[in-house]
Amino acid sequence: MGTSVPTAPDAAANLADVFPSCLVALGAADDAWSRANGLEARIALRPARSAIVVLVDGLGSVALSARAGHARWLTAAKGTGTAKKLRSGFPTTTAAALSTLTTGRSPGTHGVVGYSGWNPDTGAVMNLLGGWDTEVPADWFLVETLFTRAAELGVDPVVVGPERYRASGMTANVLGGARYVAADTIPERIDAALAETATGRSLVYLYVPELDSIGHKSGWQSDRWTATLELLDGELARLDARGARDVGILVTADHGVLDVPDHANIAVDPLLLTDVVGVAGDPRCRQFTVAPGTDVRGLVGAFRARYGKKAYVASRDEAIAAGWFGAVSPEVVPRIGDVIVVARGSWAFNDDRALRDGEVPKRMIGQHGAMTDEETLVPLRLAGAFAQ
């Protein structure tokens, strides 16, 4: 089957570069260490004693630019320019992207290939965001985090986030190796980051989930989303103003978001799902696992014939060859769906087979997971010792 899918850029700096670049800036590692460990440190950062990495869940560069007047600090470009962009990686979903950030590895290497994923050992789809306590096997995460490596290099790794995530299975795995400091509001998290970097040498990861949550429920174009962006921007300006001058600040996001109108939420034709035994991923990035013996080539062709103008459709082999998941380890291959449907434009693909007659499906407004600029381009704002 001829490949007719886009290839993933492999030379662009992305989320995997953030922590290695910070460790180099802190003097704990160098480019030779990065190469020896199969990592990239392609973000040029000035030297610093400590670093604060702020991860704003769901803040894409496109949405941020559209609301620049409400985010003066985030969109500022001083000197030679400190407002830049990164690529999130693929799929543009939190579980995969945070794993890429904290390991410096691609989804095809760390093993978290989507919001949910197929477990070939159990023959079931698992939630890879909230299912770590009940569904995900203990050995699912395939690589150690860079928090663990930071500690080995003499850097104190700290996570600052809401109390509700402190004891979660995802925290234990994806954020493993770091000391967790609970702070429930954005201002409290800023205060915690300032305290943790007042002395010593530390790598602080500060997580901001609020915008993503609001975006899903109300959309990024809602007044509530904009008001929260304004609050965040003011608190980040305070972090920059009050932080020690030898502390570098890097603000980015795991993915962006776009609002999906009602008419663009497609119920996938049930006939196309006849041989599908597992539906994983997000509505904007569906991964379908099929029964043994299914004609995958024929099913890909059928999906393309039906949805080819609304989505990129690829077999697993095509997606791997195109570099969608980065380098893919042999044990990760069966976790990826046999057929992958990646939405173009603002479409989303839903499996509505379980709905009862007359039942109205629940849809999110803000969605992500696919390859549009709205989803893949995320901000890179440098401040403090990292300002250029």
Side-chain angles (χ1 to χ4, degrees):
M1 178 166 29
T3 299
S4 58
V5 298
T7 56
D10 58 7
N14 58 64
L15 290 178
D17 295 271
V18 171
F19 280 7
S21 299
C22 286
L23 291 174
V24 170
L26 299 186
D30 55 22
D31 289 337
W33 177 88
S34 298
R35 289 192 298 270
N37 286 277
L39 303 169
E40 297 275 6
R42 291 175 289 192
I43 303 171
L45 300 174
R46 291 183 172 180
R49 169 179 56 82
S50 290
I52 300 171
V53 174
V54 181
L55 192 289
V56 186
D57 200 326
L59 180 62
S61 289
V62 173
L64 177 60
S65 295
R67 295 292 181 267
H70 300 271
R72 300 294 180 86
W73 185 87
L74 272 167
T75 56
K78 302 174 182 177
T80 57
T82 56
K84 304 180 180 181
K85 299 176 184 178
L86 289 178
R87 287 199 171 271
S88 168
F90 176 84
T92 47
T93 195
T94 298
L98 290 191
S99 300
T100 293
L101 175 80
T102 63
T103 64
R105 314 282 182 173
S106 67
T109 301
H110 57 62
V112 181
V113 296
Y115 163 74
S116 58
W118 178 254
N119 184 336
D121 296 325
T122 64
V125 172
M126 305 181 303
N127 186 311
L128 296 175
L129 186 64
W132 291 84
D133 299 299
T134 56
E135 304 173 53
V136 183
D139 59 352
W140 192 259
F141 205 52
L142 297 178
V143 295
E144 64 183 354
T145 71
L146 289 171
F147 294 124
T148 299
R149 301 306 304 274
E152 295 170 354
L153 296 170
V155 176
D156 182 24
V158 181
V159 169
V160 178
E163 172 66 36
R164 65 184 181 274
Y165 299 138
R166 180 201 290 270
S168 75
M170 186 176 185
T171 294
N173 284 270
V174 177
L175 305 180
R179 176 168 50 88
Y180 198 96
V181 176
D184 283 331
T185 68
I186 293 174
E188 288 171 346
R189 275 170 249 151
I190 296 297
D191 289 340
L194 289 168
E196 291 294 334
T197 54
T199 60
R201 184 167 67 158
S202 56
L203 174 61
V204 175
Y205 164 72
L206 192 162
Y207 180 55
V208 180
E210 284 84 353
L211 282 178
D212 186 66
S213 178
I214 294 168
H216 283 311
K217 296 175 183 177
S218 305
W220 74 265
Q221 299 182 70
S222 66
D223 291 343
R224 187 180 173 206
W225 193 93
T226 301
T228 303
L229 176 64
E230 286 185 341
L231 169 65
L232 171 64
D233 190 73
E235 287 300 310
L236 292 173
R238 182 168 70 90
L239 175 66
D240 186 17
R242 292 187 53 190
R245 291 299 90 190
D246 58 354
V247 174
I249 299 169
L250 185 156
V251 182
T252 189
D254 53 348
H255 56 74
V257 65
L258 51 76
D259 290 354
V260 176
D262 288 341
H263 77 270
N265 270 295
I266 296 172
V268 177
D269 184 347
L271 290 177
L272 291 173
L273 302 177
T274 300
D275 296 319
V276 171
V277 296
V279 179
D282 297 277
R284 287 189 52 77
C285 181
R286 283 301 185 199
Q287 297 187 41
F288 298 113
T289 299
V290 300
T294 299
D295 178 7
V296 173
R297 178 189 180 99
L299 187 56
V300 168
F303 266 99
R304 285 178 178 166
R306 184 65 183 273
Y307 301 119
K309 293 183 178 180
K310 296 180 174 68
Y312 298 113
V313 182
S315 68
R316 176 170 58 204
D317 290 344
E318 287 177 324
I320 291 174
W324 286 8
F325 297 92
V328 179
S329 301
E331 58 266 52
V332 177
V333 171
R335 301 181 182 184
I336 299 171
D338 295 292
V339 178
I340 305 169
V341 177
V342 181
R344 304 168 75 174
S346 60
W347 301 99
F349 296 87
N350 302 277
D351 178 10
D352 288 348
R353 291 174 296 173
L355 292 178
R356 297 184 296 270
D357 289 343
E359 183 178 358
V360 178
K362 296 179 180 179
R363 313 289 198 205
M364 295 182 295
I365 297 176
Q367 298 193 38
H368 49 81
M371 298 178 176
T372 66
D373 285 351
E374 288 90 343
E375 295 156 293
T376 60
L377 296 179
V378 294
L380 174 64
R381 176 66 160 95
L382 306 178
F386 291 161
Q388 298 175 353

